[in-house]
C-alpha cells in the first residue's frame, strides 16, 4: 500500500542522511525492525532482546517493552 511505500522511502532517506541506526517498532506485530547503513536489516520479535555491535551496550528488552501493552 501507499503507506508502506512511504515508510520504506523514509528509511532510505534517513539512512542516506547519515543515520547510523533506525529502529521501527510495530506494536500490533510486536516486532522491532533494525536498519543500518549498507542494507543491514533485522527483525526482532517480542521474545528477544535487541542488541547490535554498532552500539555496544545498547540493549532493549522487548519482552518488557511489549508487556507494557498488556496493561489495562
Amino acid at each position: 500500500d501507499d503507506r508502506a511505500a512511504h515508510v520504506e522511502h523514509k528509511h532510505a532517506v534517513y539512512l542516506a542522511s547519515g543515520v547510523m541506526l533506525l529502529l521501527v517498532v510495530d506494536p500490533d506485530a510486536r516486532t522491532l525492525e533494525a536498519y543500518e547503513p549498507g542494507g543491514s536489516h533485522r527483525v526482532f520479535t517480542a521474545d528477544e532482546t535487541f542488541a547490535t555491535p554498532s552500539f555496544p551496550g545498547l540493549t532493549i528488552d522487548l519482552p518488557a517493552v511489549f508487556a507494557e501493552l498488556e496493561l489495562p
Side-chain angles (χ1 to χ4, degrees), residues 16-63:
S17 297
V19 170
M20 298 304 297
L21 177 64
L22 176 63
L23 302 177
V24 178
V25 176
D26 183 337
D28 294 327
R30 296 185 186 262
T31 59
L32 178 146
E33 292 186 67
Y35 297 85
E36 296 185 66
S40 175
H41 172 239
R42 178 162 175 214
V43 178
F44 293 81
T45 60
D47 61 345
E48 296 181 273
T49 297
F50 166 80
T52 178
S54 300
F55 290 88
L58 172 63
T59 60
I60 301 174
D61 180 8
L62 295 176

